[in-house]
């Protein structure tokens, strides 16, 4: 039985220039498409009633889930309670984009049972927000956090991005400092990755924009770690920082390779050792659930070898690393020569029976993990 539920909301006010997630632009809250989609989500939950139960987390992500009205979110959570049941004290998160939330909606979300809000602040520089093609300005982001506090949210997470074209260390420090002054419980700091088929990628390819030098971007990561830690945040995952006890329970389950159920168009699930992906097209997704057919497009059976790789790739994202006994119990092993070499370069360390990446290793985590396998 799965205890972690993800609900995907693939609508956004407009497409950001760096985004390659499955999301489509829609009119604001209240459009018929959004209403119909909310009903389809409830239909899918009913189809999956045997899979999940006693939910410890519910995560509404996207896209922009705050394009749902508070009433729609309330109906979804009531459905989840009725169909799966949600344990007392469960972490119930919604992702929110500045500019899409009102005071009334925030109060309604609290009332519906949402107790954690993750706000897509990204930057507090107007120029950078424009480069990213975000549909909000810095003032919207600051006032979204203040409004969330006033509505009673005591678990607020902020998303920030570094490595933006034209960004320098001073502007990055300024964004972080102003974000920290808002005293969020949690901060995620992601390096910008220019994915293909995005407007940003085209502008970089055309030479219209240029990414900051690699050494500067690495310096920005170290600076994020330094500033967050000096403000009392625990660096618990490559890109995530939390006040003690405010780590994301939902995301920790992913990194612990726990199973979860994903509902909605393009949502992924990991259930009974199988990874599946839902239809990426909203119309095909809705038609499928309406006809009481599982809206699954993709099924991947996870072999023992895959499971081992996932354990290493996901587990080493956490700064506490992986228990060596867990590695031994899997019946597989890491390349001894690579472990020795990487440890010699100060990229990994073994301490208290755990294998972990050092901060230097986290900077080049992908390369380190590939070497280890
Ligand atoms: S708000 Fe998020 S999901 Fe939507 S387009 Fe922007 S980055 Fe993508």
């Amino acid at each position: 039985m799965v205890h972690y539920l993800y609900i995907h909301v693939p609508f956004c006010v407009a497409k950001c220039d760096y985004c390659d997630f499955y999301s489509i632009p829609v009119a604001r809250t209240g459009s018929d498409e959004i209403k119909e989609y909310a009903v389809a989500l409830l239909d899918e939950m009913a189809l999956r009633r045997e899979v999940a139960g006693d939910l410890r987390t519910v995560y509404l992500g996207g896209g922009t889930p705050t394009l749902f009205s508070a009433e729609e979110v309330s109906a979804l959570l009531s459905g989840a309670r009725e169909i799966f049941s949600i344990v007392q004290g469960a972490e119930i998160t919604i992702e929110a984009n500045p500019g899409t939330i009102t005071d009334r909606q925030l109060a309604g979300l609290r009332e519906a049972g949402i107790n954690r809000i993750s706000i897509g602040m990204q930057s507090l520089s107007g120029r950078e927000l424009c480069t990213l093609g975000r549909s909000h300005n810095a003032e919207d982001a600051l006032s979204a956090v203040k409004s969330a506090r006033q509505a009673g949210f005591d678990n607020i997470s902020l998303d920030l991005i570094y490595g933006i074209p034209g960004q320098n260390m001073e502007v990055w420090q300024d964004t972080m400092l102003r974000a920290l002054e808002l005293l969020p419980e949690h901060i995620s700091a992601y390096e910008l990755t220019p994915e293909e088929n995005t407007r940003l990628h085209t502008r970089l390819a055309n030479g219209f924009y240029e990414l900051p030098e690699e050494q500067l971007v690495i310096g920005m990561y170290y600076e994020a770690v330094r500033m967050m830690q000096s403000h009392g945040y625990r660096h618990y995952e490559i890109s995530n920082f939390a006040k003690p006890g405010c780590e994301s329970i939902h995301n920790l389950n992913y990194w612990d390779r726990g199973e979860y159920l994903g509902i909605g168009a393009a949502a992924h699930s990991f259930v009974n050792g199988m990874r599946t992906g839902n239809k990426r097209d909203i119309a095909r997704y809705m038609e499928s659930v309406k006809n009481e057919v599982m809206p699954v497009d993709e099924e991947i059976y996870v072999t023992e070898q895959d499971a081992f790789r996932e354990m290493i790739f996901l587990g080493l994202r956490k700064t506490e690393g992986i228990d060596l006994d867990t590695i031994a119990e899997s019946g597989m092993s890491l390349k001894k020569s690579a472990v020795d070499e990487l440890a010699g370069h100060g990229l990994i360390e073994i301490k208290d029976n755990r294998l972990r990446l050092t901060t230097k290793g986290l900077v080049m985590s992908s390369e380190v993990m590939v070497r280890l396998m």
Side-chain angles (χ1 to χ4, degrees):
M1 189 66 96
V2 173
H3 304 294
Y4 300 84
L5 176 69
Y6 174 78
I7 300 175
H8 190 62
V9 185
F11 303 108
C12 290
V13 174
K15 194 81 183 162
C16 299
D17 288 352
Y18 60 100
C19 179
D20 76 335
F21 296 144
Y22 178 61
S23 74
I24 56 163
V26 286
R28 300 217 153 233
T29 310
S31 76
D32 286 347
E33 202 170 12
I34 291 182
K35 283 186 190 144
E36 283 166 31
Y37 185 74
V39 172
L41 289 173
L42 284 168
D43 288 344
E44 189 186 355
M45 284 188 213
L47 278 178
R48 309 259 205 178
R49 74 168 61 241
E50 306 302 329
V51 173
D54 295 336
L55 301 176
R56 294 173 197 154
T57 67
V58 179
Y59 193 106
L60 282 104
T64 305
T66 39
L67 282 171
F68 275 151
S69 65
E71 290 72 24
E72 281 158 341
V73 170
S74 178
L76 275 177
L77 291 181
S78 298
R81 272 189 202 99
E82 206 174 289
I83 295 166
F84 303 121
S85 105
I86 301 178
V87 300
Q88 190 77 25
E91 177 189 275
I92 307 181
T93 305
I94 192 164
E95 289 179 353
N97 273 325
T100 62
I101 34 180
T102 61
D103 292 351
R104 189 177 159 275
Q105 188 185 12
L106 284 164
L109 292 173
R110 283 291 296 140
E111 213 165 293
I114 300 279
N115 53 27
R116 183 172 184 272
I117 188 162
S118 172
I119 299 178
M121 174 177 273
Q122 318 308 0
S123 167
L124 289 173
S125 146
R127 203 174 63 85
E128 287 172 7
L129 288 169
C130 188
T131 304
L132 294 171
R134 299 287 298 181
S135 57
H136 61 88
N137 60 32
E139 207 37 59
D140 293 334
L142 293 168
S143 72
V145 180
K146 287 177 192 150
S147 298
R149 275 285 182 241
Q150 272 161 14
F153 280 95
D154 57 7
N155 196 351
I156 299 180
S157 180
L158 302 179
D159 278 359
L160 301 177
I161 295 183
Y162 64 94
I164 302 168
Q167 190 177 41
N168 61 33
M169 186 63 91
E170 289 69 36
V171 182
W172 173 229
Q173 285 167 324
D174 180 66
T175 286
M176 285 193 287
L177 202 56
R178 289 164 69 201
L180 286 163
E181 280 167 5
L182 298 165
L183 307 176
E185 281 66 33
H186 188 280
I187 296 186
S188 305
Y190 299 109
E191 180 182 343
L192 178 67
T193 352
E195 305 289 352
E196 278 184 34
N197 301 319
T198 61
R199 279 190 290 264
L200 180 70
H201 190 271
T202 309
R203 285 177 191 154
L204 286 164
N206 289 345
F208 187 73
Y209 286 142
E210 211 177 311
L211 288 172
E213 294 283 325
E214 192 186 345
Q215 281 313 309
L216 174 58
V217 178
I218 291 173
M220 287 177 182
Y221 179 73
Y222 278 115
E223 185 59 5
V225 173
R226 187 194 71 75
M227 280 181 67
M228 303 297 164
Q229 286 179 337
S230 71
H231 282 78
Y233 291 77
R234 192 168 87 83
H235 183 201
Y236 73 103
E237 193 267 351
I238 294 180
S239 311
N240 285 281
F241 306 84
K243 288 282 183 183
C246 297
E247 294 81 6
S248 162
I249 300 170
H250 187 83
N251 288 337
L252 276 170
N253 179 58
Y254 293 143
W255 301 316
D256 286 336
R257 217 183 149 264
E259 297 201 334
Y260 54 90
L261 175 63
I263 297 282
H268 285 87
S269 299
F270 180 32
V271 175
N272 294 331
M274 175 95 86
R275 293 200 180 267
T276 58
N278 276 359
K279 294 179 190 298
R280 281 178 68 86
D281 179 90
I282 294 178
R284 286 201 303 124
Y285 165 78
M286 294 208 287
E287 193 186 331
S288 189
V289 289
K290 204 165 154 192
N291 294 324
E292 298 186 15
V293 175
M294 285 295 178
V296 173
D297 243 1
E298 198 189 356
E299 287 187 346
I300 301 167
Y301 178 73
V302 181
T303 63
E304 265 184 39
Q305 182 70 35
D306 294 336
F308 182 67
R309 289 171 64 86
E310 287 178 6
M311 178 177 77
I312 301 300
F313 275 82
L314 295 170
L316 286 182
R317 294 186 64 90
K318 295 182 299 170
T319 53
E320 66 175 27
I322 310 174
D323 193 316
L324 292 180
D325 292 341
T326 311
I327 298 181
E329 279 159 22
S330 74
M332 300 204 191
S333 53
L334 297 166
K335 282 191 209 152
K336 169 94 177 61
S337 57
V339 171
D340 292 343
E341 188 196 330
L342 293 165
H345 285 108
L347 295 165
I348 58 170
E349 64 180 16
I350 294 177
K351 212 168 138 191
D352 302 330
N353 204 43
R354 298 189 79 87
L355 169 72
R356 57 182 289 274
L357 299 186
T358 60
T359 306
K360 188 175 162 193
L362 290 170
V363 170
M364 39 195 301
S365 56
S366 309
E367 293 91 327
V368 174
M369 290 183 205
V370 169
R371 283 284 295 130
L372 276 174
M373 301 303 293

